[in-house]
Amino acid sequence: MVISIPALNQDRALATLIPHTTSPRDSRFGVQNIITIPHAKLLRKLGRLTPERMVKVEDIVRFWLGFEEKNLAEDK
């Protein structure tokens, strides 16, 4: 998954990547190896999330950024 906003001329055009994994991890976030890369490295769109899945991702990202204190184990 790529998380990004449009870059302005004075900004660095960067995107944050959240890799999809098929094997569950014992993590509060369910992901690992989150990285940030230049937009130029992005080649093509590989898929799209359902609205329901996007809500779950938004919840996790808010928690990961420290905007919400939530026990994500309750949502599993």
Side-chain angles (χ1 to χ4, degrees), residues 13 24 28-30 35 42 56 61 66 69 72:
R28 295 182 297 166
F29 307 110
I35 61 170
L42 301 174
K56 289 181 182 179
V61 169
E69 293 185 25
L72 292 177

Side-chain angles (χ1 to χ4, degrees), residues 7 14-17 21 28 34 45 51 57 60-61 65 67:
L14 299 173
T16 298
L17 304 180
T21 180
R28 295 182 297 166
I34 297 171
K45 184 186 285 190
V57 169
I60 290 169
V61 169
L65 292 172
F67 293 128

Side-chain angles (χ1 to χ4, degrees), residues 4 10 15 18 27-28 34 38-39 41 45 49 70 73-74:
S4 183
Q10 69 270 23
I18 302 174
S27 167
R28 295 182 297 166
I34 297 171
H39 282 181
K41 299 270 185 183
K45 184 186 285 190
L49 292 179
K70 179 179 177 180
E74 294 173 358

Side-chain angles (χ1 to χ4, degrees), residues 39-53:
H39 282 181
K41 299 270 185 183
L42 301 174
L43 301 177
R44 67 188 183 281
K45 184 186 285 190
L46 298 176
R48 187 177 294 270
L49 292 179
T50 64
E52 295 81 17
R53 184 64 136 180

